[in-house]
């Protein structure tokens, strides 16, 4: 190694140490954890069940279900519901639900999901509960929150976060981006007249940011979101970005201080190798560790969407995919 090369390496290392956070280069992204069994999934939400093992729910079917005893071998376990609740048909002709979110609170599992049609914000978010979190045990409770064509937001892609005794739901896709509304913790539905907070958008139409998920770590709340285009197989450009705030309702900024409401956001994970269009993410706890769940499109399998799982490490106050 030459002296010049050594000095360059030292300077680069020093600069990296001084930066508050640096996004990983694409070639350095780790591959997802190897899994077996049923890998096909889209917009996954994962939870470690109180009874042991794991459940994953997703877009597809009547909220498609996957179960695993160890988080590595997954089996197709049918659907959350045997039949779509009748009110879903108000939002699409097939009763097709999207992008669920599972959580556990006060002895009950809560499953949020969206119903809509491609290209419209005539959309609604619903909720169901279960004592076990297992497919076939869910009781639907109807609409939580909705949007209409006259609104500047889109009520899909729900995710919950509890903060200082209050319950919040992030949501949003295109239509000016990511929003948040407060819920009644007893009913799990939006408080009447609740303010709709604006968390993230992009400066350019069609404001391609969606799938929000907020996590508390230390003194900060971290907003994860999917940017660019999903659902096009190997042509998908989905990627995951993140910002943080000391308040659950924002403002969220990236490591350089740029607000997510002005197009900011640190790149957390993007397509690399055979793993194309990483997004539709959620975060779950497993034995005290944070795990990122997402889908990617498999370049070796004609762009089939599959489950990605990576542990999250926290470095200098920011998440990194491990």
């Amino acid at each position: 190694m030459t002296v010049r090369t050594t000095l360059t390496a030292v300077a680069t290392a020093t600069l990296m140490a001084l930066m508050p956070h640096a996004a990983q280069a694409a070639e350095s992204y780790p591959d997802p954890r190897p899994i077996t069994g049923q890998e096909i999934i889209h917009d996954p939400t994962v939870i470690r069940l109180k009874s042991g093992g794991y459940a994953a729910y997703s877009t597809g079917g009547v909220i498609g279900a996957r179960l695993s005893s160890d988080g590595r071998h997954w089996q197709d376990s049918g659907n959350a519901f045997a039949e779509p609740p009748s009110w879903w048909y108000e939002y699409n002709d097939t009763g097709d639900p999207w992008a669920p979110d599972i959580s556990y609170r006060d002895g009950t599992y809560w499953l949020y999901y969206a119903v809509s049609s491609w290209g419209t914000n005539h959309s609604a978010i619903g909720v169901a509960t279960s004592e076990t979190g297992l497919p076939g045990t869910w009781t639907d409770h109807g609409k939580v929150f909705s949007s209409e064509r006259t609104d500047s937001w889109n009520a899909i892609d729900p995710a919950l976060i509890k903060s200082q005794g209050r319950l919040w739901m992030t949501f949003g896709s295109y239509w000016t981006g990511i929003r948040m509304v407060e819920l009644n913790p007893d009913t799990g539905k939006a408080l009447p007249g609740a303010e709709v907070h604006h968390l993230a958008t992009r400066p350019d139409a069609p404001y391609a940011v969606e799938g929000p998920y907020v996590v508390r770590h230390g003194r900060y709340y971290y907003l994860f979101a999917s940017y660019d285009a999903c659902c096009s197989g190997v042509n998908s450009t989905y990627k995951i970005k993140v910002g943080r705030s000391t308040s659950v309702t924002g403002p969220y900024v990236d490591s350089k201080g740029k607000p997510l409401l002005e197009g900011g956001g640190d790149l957390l994970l993007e397509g690399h190798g055979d793993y194309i269009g990483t997004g539709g993410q959620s975060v779950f706890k497993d034995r005290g560790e944070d795990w990122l769940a997402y889908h990617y499109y498999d370049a070796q399998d004609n762009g089939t969407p599959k489950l990605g799982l990576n542990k999250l490490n926290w470095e200098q106050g920011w998440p990194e995919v491990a």
Side-chain angles (χ1 to χ4, degrees), residues 135-158:
T137 67
W138 295 95
T139 300
D140 190 64
H141 301 288
K143 295 181 192 180
V144 170
F145 189 75
S146 63
S147 59
E148 298 300 336
R149 294 176 179 88
T150 53
D151 290 320
S152 60
W153 56 77
N154 193 8
I156 70 169
D157 295 357

Side-chain angles (χ1 to χ4, degrees), residues 101-105 110-113 125-127 144 157-163 167-171 180-181 183-184 188 212-215 283:
D101 173 69
I102 189 171
S103 57
Y104 182 82
R105 187 176 79 257
W110 299 75
L111 187 67
Y112 287 75
Y113 57 84
I125 293 167
V127 65
V144 170
D157 295 357
L160 264 63
I161 175 74
K162 194 170 184 180
S163 171
L167 189 64
W168 302 87
M169 180 179 72
T170 52
F171 65 92
M180 174 178 272
V181 68
L183 305 183
N184 181 322
Y213 200 93
V214 174
V215 172
V283 178

Side-chain angles (χ1 to χ4, degrees), residues 42 229-238 271-278 295-306:
H42 207 276
C230 82
C231 314
S232 299
V234 294
N235 295 316
S236 302
T237 57
Y238 241 14
H272 58 286
D274 294 331
Y275 307 96
I276 309 299
T278 55
H295 68 251
Y296 65 88
Y297 301 93
D298 189 346
Q300 294 296 314
D301 191 14
N302 300 311
T304 300
K306 295 185 178 180

Side-chain angles (χ1 to χ4, degrees), residues 39-167:
E39 299 178 49
I40 299 173
I41 206 165
H42 207 276
D43 304 322
T45 179
V46 179
I47 194 168
R48 181 172 173 82
L49 298 168
K50 296 296 182 182
S51 58
Y54 304 81
Y57 289 94
S58 66
T59 299
V62 198
I63 308 181
R66 312 280 186 267
L67 295 177
S68 174
S69 61
D70 59 5
R72 295 180 180 272
H73 181 77
W74 294 84
Q75 63 186 38
D76 189 336
S77 302
N79 299 281
F81 299 98
E83 299 289 339
S86 59
W87 71 267
W88 291 5
Y89 292 98
E90 178 185 345
Y91 294 92
N92 62 55
D93 293 337
T94 57
D96 181 28
W98 297 351
D101 173 69
I102 189 171
S103 57
Y104 182 82
R105 187 176 79 257
D106 300 330
T108 299
Y109 291 91
W110 299 75
L111 187 67
Y112 287 75
Y113 57 84
V115 281
S116 185
S117 297
W118 193 266
T120 179
N121 65 333
H122 174 60
S123 311
I125 293 167
V127 65
T129 57
S130 166
E131 292 184 0
T132 65
L134 295 172
T137 67
W138 295 95
T139 300
D140 190 64
H141 301 288
K143 295 181 192 180
V144 170
F145 189 75
S146 63
S147 59
E148 298 300 336
R149 294 176 179 88
T150 53
D151 290 320
S152 60
W153 56 77
N154 193 8
I156 70 169
D157 295 357
L160 264 63
I161 175 74
K162 194 170 184 180
S163 171
Q164 298 177 335
R166 298 167 71 178
L167 189 64

